[in-house]
Amino acid sequence: MSSTLLPKPQMRGLLGKRLRFHIVGALIVSLGSAVLYKYGVAEPRKRAYADFYKNYDSMKDFEAMREAGVFESVQPKDS
């Protein structure tokens, strides 16, 4: 027939070989995603909260909400 024979397909150990390859790939992708999330989302969010609460005055905010009539149990000062 033909002068070149097709190579036989690998039948034994194929699943293990493919799993090893895909597990390593999945580990690399998941670690990369975790690092990107930490430095792209979590750290800027922590920095933003720290900056906000550095100068936050809760009593000033309470008084502003009190005057706006947000609370039912506390009357505004002008009433």
Side-chain angles (χ1 to χ4, degrees):
M1 291 208 175
S2 79
S3 61
T4 60
L5 295 174
L6 291 175
K8 287 188 173 183
Q10 179 184 2
M11 301 301 272
R12 292 187 185 270
L14 184 60
L15 177 64
K17 183 179 176 184
R18 289 182 57 97
L19 276 177
R20 202 172 316 122
F21 173 77
H22 285 98
I23 287 175
V24 168
L27 261 170
I28 291 170
V29 168
S30 63
L31 288 175
S33 298
V35 168
L36 283 174
Y37 181 82
K38 177 173 175 50
Y39 293 110
V41 176
E43 291 298 322
R45 185 178 290 170
K46 286 194 319 191
R47 211 174 311 116
Y49 273 100
D51 292 342
F52 175 77
Y53 283 108
K54 195 180 298 181
N55 299 321
Y56 180 66
D57 183 13
S58 61
M59 287 309 293
K60 180 180 168 187
D61 202 23
F62 169 75
E63 292 298 329
M65 288 190 285
R66 179 186 204 180
E67 294 304 315
V70 173
F71 302 117
E72 293 180 9
S73 61
V74 179
Q75 296 297 322
K77 285 187 178 179
D78 59 351
S79 298

